[in-house]
Amino acid sequence: MSGPLDDVVVIDLTRALAGPHCGMMLGDMGARVIKVENPGTGDESRGWGPPFVGPDDDPVSTYFLSCNRNKESVTLDLKTDDGRETLARLVTHADVLLENFRPGVLDRLGFTVEHLHELNPGLVLLSISGFGHDGPQGGRAGYDQIAQGEGGLMSLTGADPEHPQRVGVPIGDLLAGMYGAYGVVAALHERNRTGKGRVVRTSLLASIVGVHAFQGTRYTVAGEVGQAGGNHHPSICPYGLFTCADGMIQLACGSEGLWVKLAEGFGLDPFAPGFATNRERVGNRDLVIETLNAAFADLPHATLMARLAELGIPAGEVRTLDRVYDWDQTRSQGLVIDVDHPVLGEIEIPGPPIRLDDNAFAGGRSEHLPPPLLGEHNDSVRAWLDERDALAAPTTSPDAAGSR
């Protein structure tokens, strides 16, 4: 199985993380993704580290490995005639073009939206920016941590309002890539009806505001400004991180029934004043946390987890990443895959988070490609372009037509 997008060709002009993550998602579903990089240096993330792995004279960035599986790499200097001509050929034979230049850069290179659609009326163009393509700050450069702050996410994350905290991964970049892939697939579906491509736009700012969820309506409807509150839910209690004799556990009581089971299971009165309803418990959160921590204080972690499982209370631990990737549950879901890298040999990398029902592998393809070396596919992609150009050439004689 090659995947549900195996008839889709994607030209990926993006670099860093947001756009490459989008391209990787499309590649996971079987699309042919041709990554266009600057000669000599390539995607900036090839130089992001440490850690680097491999030989000293040919080090590989693990950052680059994280967002470029299932792609080919070609090098083009878009400031040269040859580079622009080759990109135009790629656009002519592609279905999707991904770009995350600052607004206006692609226009200055000669590839306006109008010109791209002259080359290929069915082209779907995804454009990812930092803060949007218009508006008073539309041209502003965007990096993930800046967007996390400007988009309000850091104000909701951390121990308290005085200590805002970024999320431990570049979540704005990742979300922009995910929203971008979602928009691309929707535009491809529309193209099946109309025959025409369209421009899809998203940004780091949009992606972060788009996941405010209840914190957004908490302000827009109720007029309350959410703020950082540590490891406990602002609207559900008990729901968060608790301590026990030798560590920490997390539990979530998302219903009154679960609260009753939890309280009675540990000898507490679920209907005590201030504890009887979720609204009361949220208002008395510190006391609820203190009461449960006291109830768990003498129980070892393993004993407490077993007891919560018996009671049917959703609970979990806080795993370090080594324990996540070594966990049999993680591996059973195809979230770790093997690829044969041209420099590193057989390596394990994180795998796609989607599985299709008739495929034992994660993602939409039966075999995953390793992140490419810079320019690794220059010759094969140019040969493919020559073949496609020949097939698309107009017939000039009956003999030529018959030979096709």
Side-chain angles (χ1 to χ4, degrees):
M1 177 183 177
S2 52
L5 296 181
D6 64 358
D7 59 344
V8 173
V9 176
V10 178
I11 307 305
D12 184 359
L13 297 181
T14 67
R15 67 268 187 233
L17 183 56
H21 189 76
C22 172
M24 183 173 69
M25 290 179 65
L26 298 173
D28 288 344
M29 290 295 111
R32 181 181 186 182
V33 181
I34 300 172
K35 184 179 180 69
V36 177
E37 302 185 70
N38 289 327
T41 56
D43 188 322
E44 293 98 318
S45 70
R46 289 186 183 272
W48 288 356
F52 294 96
V53 290
D56 291 340
D57 61 348
D58 194 14
V60 178
S61 161
T62 59
Y63 199 116
F64 180 84
L65 295 177
S66 74
C67 52
N68 287 287
R69 63 177 178 259
N70 293 322
K71 299 181 185 180
E72 303 166 58
S73 170
V74 297
T75 53
L76 296 179
D77 183 352
L78 298 182
K79 296 179 180 179
T80 66
D81 290 342
D82 176 71
R84 291 190 293 269
E85 178 185 348
T86 303
L87 177 59
R89 295 172 70 198
L90 286 167
V91 167
T92 300
H93 301 301
D95 299 284
V96 179
L97 179 71
L98 313 177
E99 68 93 7
N100 63 349
F101 296 111
R102 289 181 67 173
V105 170
L106 202 58
D107 291 358
R108 291 194 291 274
L109 291 171
F111 292 94
T112 63
V113 171
E114 293 76 17
H115 181 51
L116 289 169
H117 281 149
E118 287 174 1
L119 293 169
N120 184 347
L123 184 73
V124 171
L125 171 63
L126 170 67
S127 190
I128 301 176
S129 62
F131 291 89
H133 290 73
D134 51 18
Q137 298 189 35
R140 184 177 172 188
Y143 282 86
D144 177 82
Q145 186 158 339
I146 296 171
Q148 285 196 39
E150 292 277 29
L153 189 58
M154 288 179 66
S155 75
L156 301 172
T157 309
D160 53 56
E162 286 70 46
H163 297 87
Q165 183 70 47
R166 70 176 181 87
V167 177
V169 295
I171 193 66
D173 281 328
L174 296 169
L175 288 168
M178 293 167 67
Y179 277 120
Y182 163 60
V184 164
V185 172
L188 288 172
H189 179 73
E190 180 189 52
R191 191 184 68 173
N192 290 336
R193 299 194 310 272
T194 67
K196 296 181 179 180
R198 69 157 65 235
V199 180
V200 178
R201 291 191 172 98
T202 191
S203 67
L204 274 63
L205 174 63
S207 72
I208 290 173
V209 174
V211 295
H212 282 171
F214 69 92
Q215 294 283 21
T217 49
R218 182 180 180 182
Y219 171 69
T220 63
V221 179
E224 294 183 6
V225 178
Q227 57 187 19
N231 292 309
H232 289 271
H233 199 290
S235 299
I236 308 172
C237 183
Y239 189 122
L241 187 67
F242 297 84
T243 59
C244 58
D246 57 356
M248 297 176 290
I249 63 100
Q250 300 197 95
L251 62 83
C253 284
S255 71
E256 295 299 345
L258 287 172
W259 162 247
V260 171
K261 287 183 179 181
L262 175 66
E264 291 180 344
F266 288 88
L268 305 174
D269 179 3
F271 305 109
F275 283 23
T277 67
N278 179 70
R279 185 169 187 168
E280 291 177 89
R281 293 191 298 275
V282 169
N284 293 286
R285 182 184 292 108
D286 290 346
L287 180 58
V288 174
I289 294 170
E290 179 184 341
T291 301
L292 289 177
N293 281 340
F296 301 157
D298 295 330
L299 296 174
H301 179 273
T303 302
L304 178 55
M305 286 293 294
R307 182 73 175 278
L308 291 168
E310 289 176 4
L311 294 170
I313 306 300
E317 52 186 297
V318 180
R319 293 176 183 265
T320 54
L321 289 191
D322 55 335
R323 296 183 61 227
V324 173
Y325 286 109
D326 293 341
W327 191 15
D328 54 1
Q329 183 62 24
T330 299
R331 290 177 176 268
S332 75
Q333 302 305 301
L335 297 173
V336 181
I337 60 174
D338 298 311
V339 295
D340 188 5
H341 190 271
V343 171
L344 304 175
E346 290 286 340
I347 59 173
E348 290 186 338
I349 60 175
I354 293 176
R355 298 169 70 192
L356 302 182
D357 60 354
D358 56 353
N359 187 357
F361 296 85
R365 54 170 72 223
S366 58
E367 182 179 357
H368 293 286
L369 304 176
L373 302 181
L374 179 62
E376 180 180 349
H377 302 92
N378 279 346
D379 293 341
S380 60
V381 168
R382 286 181 180 272
W384 171 74
L385 283 174
D386 291 341
E387 293 174 2
R388 297 286 298 190
D389 286 347
L391 289 172
T395 300
T396 56
S397 69
D399 289 341
S403 68
R404 295 180 69 188

